[in-house]
């Protein structure tokens, strides 16, 4: 970990709030924590006595589990609340739920919610540090950070890389965090997907909007494929999954357009055979499981750093 740098964020709400120096410091901290997960006894006392509550209003496998594993590896006490098994089902509001959790004096609340801005809103009502584990279509900062960690691990740098992001950008909080993070760290981010799944304002975020899959992927160092988020579409915004797979799915021929040593990523869960073909997802250029491994290290770093400012 570099000395002398003061990380000053109490909350992690979005990559938008993080300077390049913050991002670099988080990634360095995550690098230093990563080896703990390879030890025979995967536990350090760093957060002993701290209480961390995971509040998930939407389903999750990777994010929820890796925050919990991260907290336990640092000896914090962790508790999980799934909205489906809480008093939310009796009509309790998010603010009331948060105030009641806060009354039990946790140190960190990690929240996933379907409404953009939910994590930000919590910070107005509670004293604990808040970490956004995905809010609507807005941001998923820990995913953006683990994606940057994974790319830096494989490429040795982030600046000067071409990163292609393909798929359902409109509904993807991962895409928003990735575009903000990679451009902030000096990568050139090229996006492509069906016109109906490309929101306005991508150029303002720093992305290059491409008019073909070939343009986006050619000579790319990194290909990030995104899940089609059917649960956020009342009416499908493309003709059929079969047509989507033919026109926008990343297969071996598409990967051949990129640099020979390009890496392929996906935040998960994957719609196999739709946005990403199985032989690519499981192929030699895929680093998808490295992303998951790095998710634990990044989340350990975030818990540690926000506790320093709590
Ligand atoms: N990448 C991601 O957020 O996965 P989960 O929805 O399983 O947490």
């Amino acid at each position: 970990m570099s000395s002398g740098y003061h990380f000053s964020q109490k909350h992690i709400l979005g990559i938008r709030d993080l300077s390049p120096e913050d991002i670099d410091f988080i990634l360095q901290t995550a690098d230093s924590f990563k080896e703990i997960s390879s030890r025979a006894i995967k536990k350090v006392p760093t957060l002993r006595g701290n209480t961390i509550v995971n509040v998930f209003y939407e389903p999750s496998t990777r994010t929820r589990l890796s925050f919990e594993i991260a907290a336990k590896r640092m000896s914090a006490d962790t508790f999980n609340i799934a909205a489906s098994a809480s008093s939310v089902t009796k009509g309790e509001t998010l603010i009331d739920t948060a105030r009641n959790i806060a009354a039990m004096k946790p140190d960190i609340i990690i929240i996933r919610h379907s409404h953009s801005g939910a994590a930000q809103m919590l910070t107005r009502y509670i004293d604990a540090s808040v970490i956004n584990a995905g809010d609507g279509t807005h941001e998923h900062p820990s995913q953006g950070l683990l994606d940057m960690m994974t790319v830096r691990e494989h490429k040795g740098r982030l600046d000067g890389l071409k990163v292609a992001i393909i798929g359902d950008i409109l509904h993807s909080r991962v895409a928003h965090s990735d575009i903000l993070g990679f451009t902030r760290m000096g990568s050139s981010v090229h996006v492509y997907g069906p016109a109906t799944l490309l929101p306005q304002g991508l150029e303002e975020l720093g992305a290059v909007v491409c008019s073909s899959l070939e343009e986006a992927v050619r000579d790319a160092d990194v290909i990030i494929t995104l899940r089609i988020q059917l649960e956020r579409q009342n009416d499908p915004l493309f003709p059929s999954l079969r047509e989507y797979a033919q026109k926008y799915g990343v297969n071996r021929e598409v990967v051949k357009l990129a640099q020979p040593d390009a890496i392929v990523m996906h935040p998960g869960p994957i719609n196999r055979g739709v946005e990403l073909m199985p032989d690519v997802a499981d192929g030699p250029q895929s680093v998808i499981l490295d992303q998951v491994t790095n998710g634990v290290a990044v989340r350990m770093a975030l818990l540690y750093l926000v506790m320093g400012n709590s």
Side-chain angles (χ1 to χ4, degrees):
M1 241 178 283
S2 72
S3 60
Y5 181 73
H6 178 61
F7 183 82
S8 60
Q9 308 282 342
K10 175 179 174 181
H11 309 291
I12 304 292
L13 303 176
I15 298 286
R16 187 180 286 280
D17 304 326
L18 301 176
S19 65
E21 293 75 22
D22 286 335
I23 294 171
D24 188 52
F25 193 67
I26 293 167
L27 299 187
Q28 283 186 51
T29 308
D31 285 342
S32 72
F33 282 143
K34 186 170 173 176
E35 62 83 26
I36 294 168
S37 294
S38 304
R39 293 182 190 172
I41 297 175
K42 302 173 177 59
K43 215 172 184 69
V44 292
T46 316
L47 295 182
R48 193 163 52 200
N50 293 127
T51 304
I52 298 175
V53 181
N54 270 316
V55 189
F56 275 62
Y57 282 76
E58 287 188 325
S60 170
T61 299
R62 283 147 287 268
T63 310
R64 199 183 104 168
L65 182 60
S66 61
F67 266 120
E68 191 177 355
I69 288 175
K72 285 190 157 66
R73 290 203 174 145
M74 304 190 84
S75 302
D77 298 314
T78 64
F79 303 90
N80 293 311
I81 300 177
S84 58
S86 74
S87 290
V88 168
T89 58
K90 302 173 198 163
E92 189 166 55
T93 65
L94 171 61
I95 293 170
D96 279 339
T97 302
R99 279 182 165 150
N100 279 270
I101 295 169
M104 298 179 224
K105 308 295 180 200
D107 298 291
I108 301 175
I109 295 181
I110 299 160
I111 179 165
R112 170 170 287 191
H113 200 280
S114 57
H115 287 174
S116 299
Q120 163 91 48
M121 198 261 290
L122 279 202
T123 64
R124 298 208 297 269
Y125 293 93
I126 61 177
D127 286 335
S129 286
V130 176
I131 299 182
N132 178 10
D135 61 331
T137 59
H138 176 230
E139 278 227 43
H140 191 347
S142 59
Q143 181 74 43
L145 289 160
L146 74 88
D147 286 350
M148 286 186 271
M149 179 177 177
T150 304
V151 170
R152 200 159 82 161
E153 207 169 67
H154 283 271
K155 298 289 166 195
R157 65 194 165 96
L158 293 172
D159 63 302
L161 297 178
K162 177 175 177 180
V163 177
I165 302 182
I166 310 297
D168 182 355
I169 315 274
L170 179 67
H171 299 106
S172 177
R173 51 201 177 203
V174 176
H176 293 125
S177 291
D178 277 349
I179 292 168
L180 287 165
F182 280 103
T183 55
R184 210 156 275 189
M185 299 307 282
S187 303
S188 175
V189 178
H190 296 243
V191 300
Y192 181 68
T196 49
L197 295 176
L198 292 173
Q200 300 289 316
L202 289 169
E203 288 92 347
E204 284 74 40
L205 292 181
V208 177
V209 179
C210 298
S211 49
S212 70
L213 185 55
E214 180 177 343
E215 182 191 345
V217 170
R218 185 168 293 286
D219 298 327
D221 301 286
V222 179
I223 303 172
I224 299 177
T225 52
L226 297 174
R227 183 173 69 88
I228 280 285
Q229 301 200 26
L230 293 170
E231 76 276 19
R232 297 192 202 277
Q233 300 177 36
N234 293 330
D235 297 312
L237 294 169
F238 52 89
S240 70
L241 289 178
R242 201 161 73 95
E243 191 168 319
Y244 186 92
Q246 280 168 357
K247 290 176 81 169
Y248 306 100
V250 171
N251 57 30
R252 268 193 292 189
E253 296 311 307
V254 172
V255 175
K256 278 185 194 157
L257 297 169
Q259 295 286 353
D261 62 350
I263 56 174
V264 178
M265 300 168 61
H266 191 298
I270 304 171
N271 293 308
R272 284 176 175 263
V274 181
E275 70 263 4
L276 184 60
M277 301 311 131
D279 57 345
V280 177
D282 304 325
Q285 287 169 270
S286 170
V287 297
I288 292 170
L289 293 179
D290 293 351
Q291 292 174 263
V292 180
T293 301
N294 288 337
V296 175
V298 156
R299 288 163 180 136
M300 288 170 84
L302 292 178
L303 298 174
Y304 169 74
L305 291 171
V306 298
M307 274 315 300
N309 296 308
S310 194

